[in-house]
Amino acid sequence: MKYAFTSKIELLEKLKLRHITVSKEILEKFWTEDDKGSLYNQRFIITLNDTIQWQAGSVSLGNDTAYITVSTERMKQIKVDLLDTVNVELERDFSEYGFEVPIEFEEVLNQDADGKKRFDSLTLGKRRATIYLVIQVKSSDKRIEKSIAILENLKRAPIGKETMRHILGKDLA
C-alpha cells in the first residue's frame, strides 16, 4: 500500500536535522497486528515530489506524530528549502535491513561460517549499521576488503558483548 500526503520541511532544533512530519493517523494506515515495537517507529520507502526515493524509518516526535529525516542533499536535489511544502508518498518497507545488502558482503558471509554466525547473532540495529559501513565504500574490491576486516574484528570481539567499536576494530585485544 502507498499513501500520499503533503508535509513541510521543518527543522528539529534539538538535533539540528531537517524532517517531514507524519501523523498518527497516517502511521496507523501501515500498522498491522504482526508489527512489534512502536507505532511511531516504522520503516518506509519515501518518495518526495515524485523525484527522489530512499528507505528510512520514522521516529517518534511526540504529540501523536513522528518524523522522517530529509538530508540537505536530498533537499537540493528537489530544489526545496526549510519550511517548503513537499509531496510525500510512503510505502511500508518490509526488507530485512531497510536497504540492499552489497553482494560483496553477502559473498564474504557465505565464505566465512564463523563470521556469518557472529554477524547473525548481532541485534538488527548492529547488523544494519555494519552493512551500512560496507555500503559507504564505493569500489567493489574495497567493499570486499572492508567486509573481511569487519568479520575478522567481529570474531575477535567478546561473544554476546559485541559493540560497534569492536566491529570497527577498536577496543580489541
Side-chain angles (χ1 to χ4, degrees):
M1 174 189 95
K2 293 181 181 181
Y3 187 80
F5 62 99
T6 60
S7 180
K8 283 188 176 184
I9 303 280
E10 298 177 87
L11 179 66
L12 187 56
E13 190 66 44
K14 175 172 61 174
L15 299 175
K16 304 284 188 240
L17 58 84
R18 286 141 186 84
H19 68 89
I20 55 173
T21 302
V22 185
S23 70
K24 178 181 181 181
E25 292 75 29
I26 293 171
L27 293 168
E28 286 173 337
K29 294 178 185 305
F30 294 97
W31 194 250
T32 69
E33 289 183 19
D34 296 332
D35 285 325
K36 298 173 186 152
S38 169
L39 167 70
Y40 298 97
N41 296 45
Q42 300 182 51
R43 299 214 46 89
F44 293 102
I45 299 168
I46 299 103
T47 305
L48 289 187
N49 288 353
D50 297 318
T51 306
I52 59 170
Q53 187 175 77
W54 74 98
Q55 294 165 289
S58 60
V59 179
S60 179
L61 187 59
N63 298 324
D64 287 336
T65 61
Y67 70 88
I68 297 172
T69 59
V70 180
S71 69
T72 52
E73 182 180 317
R74 289 187 177 109
M75 290 172 60
K76 286 178 188 174
Q77 283 180 290
I78 59 172
K79 298 176 175 78
V80 296
D81 291 313
L82 201 57
L83 301 179
D84 284 351
T85 299
V86 291
N87 295 315
V88 181
E89 183 180 271
L90 294 182
E91 181 177 0
R92 188 71 188 269
D93 180 5
F94 290 104
S95 65
E96 187 172 7
Y97 298 115
F99 40 74
E100 195 169 322
V101 178
I103 192 160
E104 297 87 353
F105 187 72
E106 285 182 336
E107 194 55 42
V108 170
L109 282 175
N110 289 337
Q111 294 180 25
D112 184 345
D114 291 338
K116 179 171 179 21
K117 184 177 177 184
R118 293 294 299 272
F119 176 76
D120 290 343
S121 73
L122 294 173
T123 64
L124 181 59
K126 285 182 184 151
R127 282 183 280 158
R128 184 181 293 125
T130 301
I131 294 166
Y132 188 75
L133 291 171
V134 177
I135 288 173
Q136 298 309 299
V137 180
K138 300 300 178 206
S139 131
S140 181
D141 288 343
K142 295 288 183 189
R143 279 194 297 270
I144 293 168
E145 289 175 23
K146 183 75 162 184
S147 299
I148 292 169
I150 284 171
L151 289 185
E152 289 304 316
N153 292 340
L154 188 54
K155 290 188 293 187
R156 291 181 15 227
I159 294 174
K161 297 182 180 180
E162 303 88 351
T163 66
M164 287 309 295
R165 289 186 60 79
H166 293 129
I167 292 166
L168 292 168
K170 302 173 182 179
D171 293 344
L172 293 174

